Amino acid sequence: MAQSTISERDRLRYFLDEQRAAVLAIIEGLDESQLRRPVFPSGWTPIGLVLHLAGAEAQWFQRVALGTEPEVTWDDGIDDPPYDPAAPFTTEHSSAVVIDHYRRQCAISNEVLRTVELDAALVGEHGLDWPDEPITDLRWVCLHMLEETARHAGHLDAARELLDGATGRGPR
């Protein structure tokens, strides 16, 4: 059997990028009103969920892995309200601005993944009380973000079907 020349880092990035692409493919073609329409009782919107994913990328790869303040700039003059874990995922930013922000955060995350060793200890604090979870290194961050992105891609897939009946969108 031939030995694979694909590194663990490259495999993790590949699967992360595939899930990120699925998120964007699922919402592609929805108009602004559809992207802002909650379809589930909890009240989250598709574009609000994309903003949540951008925040998760920034939180885990920048704040937790590197111990730095995330690079977040908005050029539309709208500030985000303080994070409220009980609030549904919504946003006042335009969908185009949120999608661009998500892409930038993913690019920053990929740069962290490219330059930091998978076994590198996390420099920042995550602030979670998960006593049975070994939150220790960049590998864990990658796997968590793969799980988080795939989970929310599934949510978006269900929302898309309820919004316009489209199914099976995305590369996977």
Side-chain angles (χ1 to χ4, degrees):
M1 182 174 284
Q3 181 72 17
S4 174
T5 59
I6 300 172
S7 70
E8 178 184 12
R9 177 189 316 274
D10 290 341
R11 287 178 196 273
L12 287 168
R13 180 174 172 183
Y14 170 80
F15 282 102
L16 269 169
D17 282 344
E18 286 293 301
Q19 292 303 317
R20 293 164 175 158
V23 164
L24 294 175
I26 291 165
I27 65 168
E28 185 177 359
L30 292 175
D31 64 31
E32 194 71 21
S33 68
Q34 290 170 312
L35 287 165
R36 295 184 175 287
R37 185 177 312 144
V39 295
F40 295 106
S42 58
W44 62 266
T45 64
I47 201 61
L49 194 55
V50 174
L51 181 60
H52 166 72
L53 284 169
E57 294 274 350
Q59 166 72 11
W60 286 104
F61 282 98
Q62 294 172 61
R63 183 171 284 128
V64 175
L66 299 180
T68 61
E69 199 54 36
E71 295 178 29
V72 177
T73 58
W74 298 107
D75 49 359
D76 62 1
I78 299 172
D79 291 325
D80 290 324
Y83 179 69
D84 177 356
F89 302 133
T90 62
T91 183
E92 297 300 317
H93 297 288
S94 75
S95 296
V97 167
V98 170
I99 291 167
D100 183 57
H101 174 62
Y102 179 59
R103 287 184 171 125
R104 280 195 318 272
Q105 294 308 310
C106 292
I108 292 167
S109 297
N110 281 345
E111 183 62 16
V112 172
L113 182 53
R114 188 183 73 72
T115 59
V116 176
E117 292 300 319
L118 292 176
D119 293 329
L122 303 174
V123 179
E125 294 294 320
H126 51 75
L128 299 173
D129 184 21
W130 294 348
D132 297 328
E133 190 72 34
I135 306 171
T136 58
D137 55 24
L138 184 61
R139 180 179 289 103
W140 186 95
V141 168
C142 290
L143 291 169
H144 173 70
M145 281 308 303
L146 180 57
E147 171 191 48
E148 175 101 353
T149 307
R151 176 178 185 237
H152 289 319
H155 292 133
L156 288 167
D157 201 35
R160 178 69 189 250
E161 184 173 357
L162 291 169
L163 285 166
D164 70 0
T167 61
R169 298 184 54 89
R172 299 194 68 78

Short mmCIF file of all heavy atoms in Angstrom, two decimals, residues 16 20 54 56-58 60-62 103-115 138 142 145:
data_model
loop_
_atom_site.label_atom_id
_atom_site.label_comp_id
_atom_site.label_asym_id
_atom_site.label_seq_id
_atom_site.Cartn_x
_atom_site.Cartn_y
_atom_site.Cartn_z
N LEU A 16 -12.02 21.32 6.46
CA LEU A 16 -12.55 22.61 6.92
C LEU A 16 -13.01 23.45 5.73
O LEU A 16 -14.12 24.00 5.73
CB LEU A 16 -11.49 23.37 7.70
CG LEU A 16 -11.44 23.17 9.20
CD1 LEU A 16 -10.18 23.79 9.78
CD2 LEU A 16 -12.67 23.75 9.86
N ARG A 20 -16.72 24.89 4.89
CA ARG A 20 -16.91 26.33 4.70
C ARG A 20 -17.53 26.61 3.33
O ARG A 20 -18.43 27.46 3.21
CB ARG A 20 -15.57 27.06 4.82
CG ARG A 20 -14.96 27.02 6.21
CD ARG A 20 -13.51 27.39 6.13
NE ARG A 20 -12.84 27.51 7.42
CZ ARG A 20 -11.53 27.41 7.57
NH1 ARG A 20 -10.74 27.21 6.53
NH2 ARG A 20 -11.00 27.52 8.77
N ALA A 54 -18.33 33.07 11.44
CA ALA A 54 -17.17 33.96 11.32
C ALA A 54 -16.62 34.26 12.72
O ALA A 54 -15.40 34.25 12.93
CB ALA A 54 -17.56 35.26 10.62
N ALA A 56 -16.90 32.35 15.36
CA ALA A 56 -16.27 31.13 15.88
C ALA A 56 -14.87 30.96 15.30
O ALA A 56 -13.94 30.59 16.02
CB ALA A 56 -17.14 29.91 15.56
N GLU A 57 -14.71 31.24 14.00
CA GLU A 57 -13.37 31.18 13.39
C GLU A 57 -12.42 32.12 14.13
O GLU A 57 -11.30 31.75 14.49
CB GLU A 57 -13.43 31.55 11.91
CG GLU A 57 -14.19 30.59 11.02
CD GLU A 57 -13.35 29.44 10.50
OE1 GLU A 57 -12.11 29.45 10.66
OE2 GLU A 57 -13.95 28.51 9.93
N ALA A 58 -12.88 33.36 14.34
CA ALA A 58 -12.04 34.36 15.01
C ALA A 58 -11.76 33.95 16.46
O ALA A 58 -10.62 34.07 16.93
CB ALA A 58 -12.72 35.73 14.97
N TRP A 60 -11.74 30.92 17.94
CA TRP A 60 -10.89 29.75 18.16
C TRP A 60 -9.50 29.88 17.56
O TRP A 60 -8.52 29.52 18.20
CB TRP A 60 -11.60 28.50 17.64
CG TRP A 60 -12.70 28.12 18.57
CD1 TRP A 60 -14.05 28.32 18.39
CD2 TRP A 60 -12.57 27.53 19.86
NE1 TRP A 60 -14.74 27.88 19.49
CE2 TRP A 60 -13.85 27.39 20.41
CE3 TRP A 60 -11.47 27.11 20.61
CZ2 TRP A 60 -14.07 26.84 21.66
CZ3 TRP A 60 -11.69 26.55 21.86
CH2 TRP A 60 -12.99 26.42 22.38
N PHE A 61 -9.39 30.39 16.35
CA PHE A 61 -8.07 30.44 15.73
C PHE A 61 -7.24 31.65 16.16
O PHE A 61 -6.02 31.56 16.22
CB PHE A 61 -8.18 30.42 14.20
CG PHE A 61 -8.45 29.05 13.65
CD1 PHE A 61 -9.74 28.66 13.33
CD2 PHE A 61 -7.43 28.15 13.47
CE1 PHE A 61 -10.00 27.39 12.83
CE2 PHE A 61 -7.67 26.88 12.97
CZ PHE A 61 -8.96 26.50 12.65
N GLN A 62 -7.91 32.77 16.47
CA GLN A 62 -7.16 33.96 16.87
C GLN A 62 -7.10 34.10 18.39
O GLN A 62 -6.01 34.10 18.97
CB GLN A 62 -7.76 35.21 16.23
CG GLN A 62 -7.62 35.20 14.70
CD GLN A 62 -8.37 36.34 14.06
OE1 GLN A 62 -8.08 37.50 14.33
NE2 GLN A 62 -9.35 36.02 13.23
N ARG A 103 -15.38 35.08 4.88
CA ARG A 103 -14.25 34.66 4.04
C ARG A 103 -12.91 35.14 4.62
O ARG A 103 -11.93 34.41 4.61
CB ARG A 103 -14.43 35.17 2.62
CG ARG A 103 -15.49 34.42 1.85
CD ARG A 103 -15.56 34.89 0.40
NE ARG A 103 -16.43 34.04 -0.36
CZ ARG A 103 -17.48 34.46 -1.06
NH1 ARG A 103 -17.75 35.75 -1.13
NH2 ARG A 103 -18.23 33.60 -1.72
N ARG A 104 -12.87 36.40 5.11
CA ARG A 104 -11.63 36.92 5.70
C ARG A 104 -11.24 36.14 6.95
O ARG A 104 -10.07 35.83 7.15
CB ARG A 104 -11.79 38.41 6.04
CG ARG A 104 -11.62 39.35 4.87
CD ARG A 104 -11.42 40.80 5.30
NE ARG A 104 -12.27 41.27 6.38
CZ ARG A 104 -13.48 41.80 6.24
NH1 ARG A 104 -13.99 41.96 5.03
NH2 ARG A 104 -14.16 42.20 7.29
N GLN A 105 -12.22 35.84 7.79
CA GLN A 105 -11.92 35.09 9.00
C GLN A 105 -11.41 33.68 8.67
O GLN A 105 -10.48 33.19 9.32
CB GLN A 105 -13.13 35.03 9.93
CG GLN A 105 -13.54 36.36 10.50
CD GLN A 105 -12.41 37.11 11.16
OE1 GLN A 105 -11.68 36.57 11.99
NE2 GLN A 105 -12.23 38.37 10.79
N CYS A 106 -11.99 33.06 7.67
CA CYS A 106 -11.52 31.73 7.25
C CYS A 106 -10.10 31.81 6.71
O CYS A 106 -9.27 30.93 6.99
CB CYS A 106 -12.46 31.14 6.20
SG CYS A 106 -14.09 30.70 6.86
N ALA A 107 -9.78 32.86 5.96
CA ALA A 107 -8.42 33.03 5.44
C ALA A 107 -7.42 33.21 6.59
O ALA A 107 -6.31 32.64 6.56
CB ALA A 107 -8.36 34.21 4.47
N ILE A 108 -7.79 34.00 7.59
CA ILE A 108 -6.92 34.18 8.76
C ILE A 108 -6.74 32.84 9.47
O ILE A 108 -5.63 32.46 9.86
CB ILE A 108 -7.48 35.26 9.70
CG1 ILE A 108 -7.42 36.63 9.04
CG2 ILE A 108 -6.72 35.26 11.04
CD1 ILE A 108 -8.24 37.70 9.76
N SER A 109 -7.83 32.10 9.64
CA SER A 109 -7.74 30.79 10.29
C SER A 109 -6.82 29.86 9.52
O SER A 109 -6.00 29.14 10.11
CB SER A 109 -9.14 30.16 10.39
OG SER A 109 -9.99 30.94 11.19
N ASN A 110 -6.92 29.87 8.20
CA ASN A 110 -6.06 29.02 7.38
C ASN A 110 -4.60 29.42 7.52
O ASN A 110 -3.71 28.56 7.49
CB ASN A 110 -6.49 29.04 5.92
CG ASN A 110 -7.69 28.15 5.67
OD1 ASN A 110 -8.03 27.29 6.49
ND2 ASN A 110 -8.33 28.34 4.53
N GLU A 111 -4.33 30.70 7.69
CA GLU A 111 -2.95 31.15 7.89
C GLU A 111 -2.43 30.65 9.24
O GLU A 111 -1.27 30.23 9.34
CB GLU A 111 -2.86 32.67 7.79
CG GLU A 111 -1.46 33.22 7.92
CD GLU A 111 -0.50 32.75 6.82
OE1 GLU A 111 -0.94 32.25 5.77
OE2 GLU A 111 0.72 32.90 7.04
N VAL A 112 -3.27 30.68 10.26
CA VAL A 112 -2.88 30.13 11.57
C VAL A 112 -2.59 28.63 11.40
O VAL A 112 -1.56 28.13 11.86
CB VAL A 112 -3.97 30.37 12.64
CG1 VAL A 112 -3.64 29.64 13.93
CG2 VAL A 112 -4.15 31.87 12.88
N LEU A 113 -3.47 27.94 10.73
CA LEU A 113 -3.29 26.51 10.52
C LEU A 113 -2.02 26.22 9.72
O LEU A 113 -1.33 25.23 9.96
CB LEU A 113 -4.52 25.94 9.80
CG LEU A 113 -4.55 24.45 9.54
CD1 LEU A 113 -4.31 23.64 10.80
CD2 LEU A 113 -5.87 24.07 8.91
N ARG A 114 -1.67 27.09 8.79
CA ARG A 114 -0.46 26.91 7.98
C ARG A 114 0.81 27.14 8.79
O ARG A 114 1.82 26.48 8.56
CB ARG A 114 -0.50 27.87 6.78
CG ARG A 114 0.62 27.63 5.77
CD ARG A 114 0.59 28.64 4.65
NE ARG A 114 1.02 29.98 5.04
CZ ARG A 114 2.29 30.31 5.30
NH1 ARG A 114 3.25 29.44 5.20
NH2 ARG A 114 2.59 31.55 5.64
N THR A 115 0.78 28.06 9.75
CA THR A 115 2.01 28.50 10.41
C THR A 115 2.22 27.98 11.84
O THR A 115 3.32 28.10 12.37
CB THR A 115 2.08 30.04 10.44
OG1 THR A 115 0.95 30.55 11.14
CG2 THR A 115 2.12 30.60 9.03
N LEU A 138 -3.85 23.14 18.82
CA LEU A 138 -4.45 23.59 17.57
C LEU A 138 -5.19 22.47 16.86
O LEU A 138 -6.20 22.71 16.21
CB LEU A 138 -3.37 24.18 16.64
CG LEU A 138 -3.89 24.79 15.34
CD1 LEU A 138 -4.84 25.95 15.61
CD2 LEU A 138 -2.74 25.23 14.46
N CYS A 142 -8.97 22.76 15.31
CA CYS A 142 -9.35 22.39 13.94
C CYS A 142 -10.52 21.41 13.94
O CYS A 142 -11.48 21.58 13.18
CB CYS A 142 -8.17 21.77 13.20
SG CYS A 142 -6.87 22.93 12.83
N MET A 145 -13.70 23.17 15.02
CA MET A 145 -14.27 24.02 13.97
C MET A 145 -14.83 23.20 12.81
O MET A 145 -15.82 23.61 12.19
CB MET A 145 -13.22 25.03 13.46
CG MET A 145 -13.04 26.20 14.39
SD MET A 145 -14.60 27.06 14.84
CE MET A 145 -15.24 27.51 13.24
#
